Amino acid sequence: MGLFSWLRRAVFGPPKRDVSMLGGDDIDAVAESVDVSGGPLKPHHLRRALRDPRLLPKRRPAIRFRKKKRIFSGKDAARLFAATLRTSNRRLRDLAPDEEQLRRYGLPVWKTEADVAAALGISVGELRFFSIHRSKERVRHYVTFAIPKRSGGERLILAPKVRLKALQRKLLTLLVSRLPVGEPAHGFRAGRSIRSGAVPHVGQPVLVQMDLADFFPTVTYPRVRGLLIALGYGYPVAATLAALMTESPRQPVEVDGVVYHVPVAPRHCVQGAPTSPGICNAVVVRLDRRLSGLARRAGFEYTRYADDITFSGRDPKRIGFLLVFARRVVESEGFVVNAAKTRVSRKGQRQVVTGVTVNDTLGLSRRERRRLRARIHRAQGTATHDPAEAAAIEGHLSYLHMLNPQQAQALRRRWGK
């Protein structure tokens, strides 16, 4: 045993039992034990555990020294066992696509990376160029910048560059828009808005609001890959799509005069990518179902807009029950509740859901309407016409009209004068 092998064994322990390290008789035993019947991937699931026969353990050949048949090309083998597609779970790596599951969800049937590349209108080489994870890279696919938060601090935005953004927008149309989404979700959905998310809470005596901390960074690359596998995609396609829609925050490091960008956190859905909102909505489907059931049990309504969770009901005695068990459900689903943003509002207080007042009627508060009226008065009192100010007032009036046309009517008449 060499010095390196001895140190590795001392630090990490003996190597795990792997098929590539087994003897001939052991390989035969493993080959016989592998389930190739296509049973459910998990108990009570419809997704079948179909296996790629090229990656299954092979029986020992009857005749030794027979020339082995090439199964993969050199590029395909390098891709499959590269860091981007690497996994310690062998039961995932050899999963083949389940076409019945994909058709059940109405998703495009992509069996290989070539199918994905053809759907996106690029070559397989270009697809792998954009969907690769490097431990260091000299040219990034994303532009990073920070914007200030209203509560203080900064929000990190990773905006994809032009070519990658175009591919992600195609994926948004072909794939992400078809992913299953929970009924309580109102953010980033066609036909839904902050208004639809606030309507169920109008006039409720009790309003409970919670916030998921670091919502987008919590939806990591393995979670996105696992979602796509559960929906029916094979492992190589699911891993490629997950890499195409996630990225790691990176730190520039200079080595011998060359600047490299090194990841400082796991790959995750980033704020700035067109596909991130839809992917996050699909990942939290089970969370939405569990919180909906909890709300019904307590006699409350439940909606979610991105990372903002809202409950409303009539029984104040159920608030403690709701807070305790909602936190347990959120944590069991792999998320964290931001305790600083957990609020309970009663009838006599101002009740606001995603910026919309819901005390008695849906709309803006009296204070906000007065501010808008004063802004209109100032704009009409000036001798010179300011196009930017006029456009801002028009935008505020349109927003108020979307929430409550009756509240906007009087202000629009004043603005028309």
Side-chain angles (χ1 to χ4, degrees):
M1 182 184 298
L3 178 60
F4 178 77
S5 300
W6 180 85
L7 288 174
R8 182 177 179 180
R9 183 180 290 269
V11 175
F12 299 104
K16 295 181 179 180
R17 183 179 177 87
D18 188 22
V19 174
S20 61
M21 302 174 61
L22 300 179
D25 296 336
D26 293 332
I27 290 178
D28 292 342
V30 171
E32 293 176 355
S33 65
V34 174
D35 180 19
V36 294
S37 61
L41 184 61
K42 292 183 178 181
H44 311 296
H45 281 214
L46 296 177
R47 207 278 193 215
R48 295 178 297 164
L50 301 174
R51 305 290 175 181
D52 187 343
R54 298 174 300 174
L55 293 172
L56 294 178
K58 307 299 188 297
R59 289 181 176 274
R60 184 175 53 181
I63 303 176
R64 293 187 177 183
F65 308 114
R66 175 179 290 179
K67 186 177 180 180
K68 294 183 178 179
K69 183 179 179 181
R70 181 179 292 272
I71 300 177
F72 293 99
S73 66
K75 291 184 178 180
D76 289 340
R79 172 68 171 177
L80 186 60
F81 297 99
T84 306
L85 271 63
R86 187 176 300 160
T87 176
S88 59
N89 189 347
R90 186 178 179 87
R91 296 184 64 81
L92 287 181
R93 193 177 64 186
D94 56 16
L95 279 176
D98 184 351
E99 297 184 36
E100 291 183 9
Q101 179 80 338
L102 291 172
R103 293 192 179 95
R104 192 176 294 120
Y105 285 99
L107 299 177
V109 180
W110 294 334
K111 301 179 182 180
T112 62
E113 288 180 298
D115 295 338
V116 179
L120 296 178
I122 58 176
S123 65
V124 175
E126 289 178 293
L127 175 65
R128 292 175 177 177
F129 171 72
F130 286 110
S131 60
I132 189 171
H133 178 76
R134 296 184 177 93
S135 58
K136 60 178 183 179
E137 58 183 16
R138 299 175 64 176
V139 180
R140 298 200 58 193
H141 295 311
Y142 289 79
V143 177
T144 305
F145 58 94
I147 60 175
K149 291 183 179 180
R150 186 173 57 180
S151 58
E154 293 182 334
R155 189 186 308 277
L156 193 65
I157 305 296
L158 276 74
K161 294 183 179 179
V162 176
R163 294 176 63 193
L164 177 58
K165 192 172 187 178
L167 294 179
Q168 290 179 344
R169 283 178 172 168
K170 288 183 179 180
L171 273 181
L172 178 62
T173 302
L174 297 174
L175 173 66
V176 178
S177 61
R178 303 183 183 182
L179 296 177
V181 183
E183 184 62 26
H186 291 265
F188 319 114
R189 295 185 63 185
R192 301 289 183 92
S193 64
I194 58 175
R195 186 184 190 279
S196 64
V199 165
H201 309 292
V202 176
Q204 296 282 15
V206 179
L207 188 72
V208 180
Q209 294 172 289
M210 307 176 75
D211 181 85
L212 300 179
D214 299 326
F215 180 55
F216 282 88
T218 308
V219 183
T220 57
Y221 165 79
R223 298 185 75 161
V224 177
R225 183 183 65 189
L227 168 71
L228 297 174
I229 289 175
L231 294 176
Y233 287 106
Y235 179 81
V237 171
T240 298
L241 292 173
L244 194 61
M245 297 185 289
T246 59
E247 173 60 339
S248 301
R250 294 177 180 266
Q251 183 73 28
V253 177
E254 185 175 350
V255 179
D256 297 331
V258 180
V259 177
Y260 296 99
H261 299 275
V262 181
V264 294
R267 294 185 73 95
H268 59 262
C269 288
V270 296
Q271 289 181 286
T275 53
S276 292
I279 287 289
C280 292
N281 272 343
V283 167
V284 298
V285 164
R286 189 169 66 174
L287 173 66
D288 284 338
R289 291 174 180 171
R290 295 181 65 185
L291 290 179
S292 294
L294 179 66
R296 285 194 300 269
R297 183 177 177 183
F300 277 62
E301 296 288 338
Y302 163 70
T303 61
R304 181 184 59 81
Y305 192 96
D307 57 352
D308 294 323
I309 292 175
T310 306
F311 300 94
S312 64
R314 298 188 173 276
D315 189 358
K317 298 179 181 179
R318 307 292 286 176
I319 294 176
F321 165 84
L322 195 64
L323 289 173
V324 171
F325 284 94
R327 180 183 294 272
R328 290 184 183 178
V329 170
V330 168
E331 292 177 352
S332 67
E333 291 294 328
F335 295 90
V336 178
V337 174
N338 188 345
K341 293 186 178 181
T342 300
R343 297 182 297 274
V344 178
S345 307
R346 301 179 186 273
K347 191 67 175 177
Q349 300 172 311
R350 184 187 177 197
Q351 296 177 328
V352 180
V353 179
T354 58
V356 182
T357 302
V358 295
N359 285 76
D360 297 314
T361 59
L362 192 73
L364 296 180
S365 65
R366 185 177 302 174
R367 178 184 299 179
E368 291 170 322
R369 298 200 305 273
R370 285 176 177 173
R371 288 177 178 174
L372 182 55
R373 187 184 302 117
R375 192 170 184 178
I376 292 173
H377 180 72
R378 287 195 302 270
Q380 291 175 333
T382 56
T384 58
H385 177 68
D386 186 356
E389 180 66 11
I393 292 174
E394 281 289 345
H396 279 80
L397 288 173
S398 299
Y399 172 69
L400 179 58
H401 185 270
M402 182 266 293
L403 297 178
N404 191 322
Q406 289 75 25
Q407 290 182 356
Q409 187 175 3
L411 292 175
R412 187 166 288 280
R413 283 199 301 265
R414 181 183 294 268
W415 174 241
K417 297 178 181 179

